[in-house]
């Protein structure tokens, strides 16, 4: 991955401050914050909390799982999984600003005892072989040019029989999408591939694909509903610069078939 480009894309220098201001503006008591209070702003991927819940259900998490959320952003998936399953989750993100915000939110939500946050690169994970039984990868590979290395690392840190849960954007038909997009302000930051090539990259790295679902229609409809809903002070716009334009471009590209969404579950063999 290219650290400078990732930092340029995601870091603002004020993520925690912006999130805190949004929560206070919405009337939330930071001393009595519930995990659900964060639901509208912590899932930085298409369909938000709906996609997180669907993918977690597909993965069939148990309290005994040791979970890695690779490319965790501000930690929404980690908190959702830890809060509902009772398992331990390690959250890794390349952007230290997001890691700091995640640690703070974990404390506010009372989940810091179940979640460990590490700054790190998903193509060079700071863990021993066969450490985890489940890995989440949501809207990460679009920033990674070397898909083979990404999934080789995923296979390395998973035990045999471990699961890789994927929620991703892939290239569709009809030309390039309009930028900016949530993961890339400019085309050179984006490394889209097709659904077939993504599936092949995962399988080649040592996984057996168990589920591979195209949810583009559902994603486009839900994103359109979210865009036309009354604005709320709690949302991704609180800390994602230009979020409205990015979400609008994403929704238009999904509706027009230039981008597609895939949900997958693969098992390490």
């Amino acid at each position: 991955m290219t650290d400078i480009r990732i930092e340029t894309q995601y870091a603002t220098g004020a993520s925690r401050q912006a999130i805190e201001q949004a929560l206070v503006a919405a009337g939330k008591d930071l001393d009595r914050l519930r995990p659900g209070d964060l639901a509208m702003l912590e899932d930085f991927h298409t369909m938000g909390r709906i996609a997180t819940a669907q993918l977690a259900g597909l993965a069939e998490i148990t309290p005994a799982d040791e979970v890695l959320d690779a490319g965790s952003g501000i930690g929404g998936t980690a908190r959702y999984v830890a809060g509902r399953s009772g398992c331990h989750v390690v959250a890794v993100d390349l952007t230290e600003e997001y890691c700091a915000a995640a640690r703070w939110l974990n404390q506010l939500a009372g989940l810091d005892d179940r979640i460990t946050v590490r700054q790190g690169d998903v193509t060079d994970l700071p863990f021993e072989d066969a450490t985890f039984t489940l890995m989440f990868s949501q809207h990460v590979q679009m920033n990674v040019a070397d898909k083979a290395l990404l999934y080789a690392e995923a296979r390395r840190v998973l035990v045999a029989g471990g699961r890789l849960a994927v929620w991703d954007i892939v290239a569709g038909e009809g030309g390039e999408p309009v930028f900016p997009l949530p993961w890339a302000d400019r085309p050179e930051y984006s490394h889209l591939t097709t659904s077939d090539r993504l599936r092949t990259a995962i399988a080649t790295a040592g996984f057996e694909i168990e589920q591979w679902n195209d949810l583009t229609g559902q994603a486009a409809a839900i994103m359109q509903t979210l865009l036309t809903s009354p604005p709320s002070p709690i949302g991704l716009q609180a800390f994602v610069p230009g979020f409205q334009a990015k979400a609008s471009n994403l929704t238009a590209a999904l509706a027009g078939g230039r981008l597609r969404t895939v949900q997958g579950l693969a098992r390490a063999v």
Side-chain angles (χ1 to χ4, degrees):
M1 299 179 75
T2 307
D3 292 15
I4 295 175
R5 287 186 176 182
I6 297 298
E7 285 295 318
T8 300
Q9 179 64 37
Y10 296 111
T12 67
S15 292
R16 172 174 169 171
Q17 180 183 5
I19 293 168
E20 185 170 359
Q21 289 174 347
L23 291 170
V24 171
K28 303 299 180 182
D29 184 346
L30 299 188
D31 293 325
R32 294 179 175 82
L33 199 69
R34 299 172 299 174
D37 292 335
L38 301 171
M40 290 300 293
L41 65 73
E42 63 183 352
D43 294 283
F44 190 8
H45 46 253
T46 308
M47 287 175 32
R49 176 52 51 85
I50 295 170
T52 303
Q54 288 180 347
L55 194 61
L58 194 68
E60 298 182 337
I61 309 163
T62 73
D65 273 314
E66 186 68 21
V67 179
L68 173 63
D69 183 13
S72 53
I74 64 168
T77 295
R79 284 186 291 276
Y80 181 87
V81 170
R84 283 157 179 75
S85 72
C87 66
H88 180 248
V89 182
V90 177
V92 173
D93 200 87
L94 187 62
T95 304
E96 178 54 42
E97 182 178 319
Y98 278 8
C99 292
R103 294 184 188 101
W104 168 65
L105 290 170
N106 293 345
Q107 288 183 315
L108 290 183
L111 292 168
D112 50 316
D113 60 331
R114 299 186 198 174
I115 304 170
T116 302
V117 180
R118 296 278 299 273
Q119 191 275 336
D121 189 330
V122 294
T123 63
D124 186 20
L125 291 166
F127 306 110
E128 299 293 327
D129 296 358
T131 298
F132 301 98
T133 60
L134 172 62
M135 173 174 157
F136 281 86
S137 181
Q138 298 183 95
H139 285 34
V140 173
Q141 59 81 28
M142 300 100 73
N143 286 127
V144 181
D146 193 337
K147 314 294 185 193
L149 181 57
L150 170 65
Y151 296 116
E153 273 294 275
R155 177 62 189 89
R156 182 184 67 78
V157 300
L158 283 169
V159 300
R163 295 101 72 209
L164 172 65
V166 172
W167 173 236
D168 264 318
I169 297 286
V170 295
E173 299 177 351
E176 292 292 317
V178 175
F179 289 83
L181 290 163
W183 67 92
D185 288 342
R186 305 201 302 263
E188 58 266 33
Y189 289 16
S190 182
H191 300 285
L192 289 168
T193 189
T194 65
S195 177
D196 287 346
R197 288 177 178 172
L198 185 64
R199 180 171 180 157
T200 297
I202 294 172
T204 302
F207 290 94
E208 180 180 324
I209 307 295
E210 295 188 347
Q211 295 274 351
W212 197 259
N213 306 313
D214 187 311
L215 301 183
T216 305
Q218 181 185 23
I222 289 175
M223 290 299 295
Q224 186 60 48
T225 298
L226 291 174
L227 283 175
T228 55
S229 298
S232 167
I234 302 181
L236 289 165
Q237 75 279 356
F239 70 98
V240 180
F243 176 74
Q244 187 70 22
K246 293 174 181 179
S248 294
N249 288 340
L250 170 62
T251 302
L254 289 170
R258 287 172 290 168
L259 294 176
R260 306 200 70 81
T261 56
V262 292
Q263 176 201 70
L265 185 70
R267 193 169 298 273
V269 294

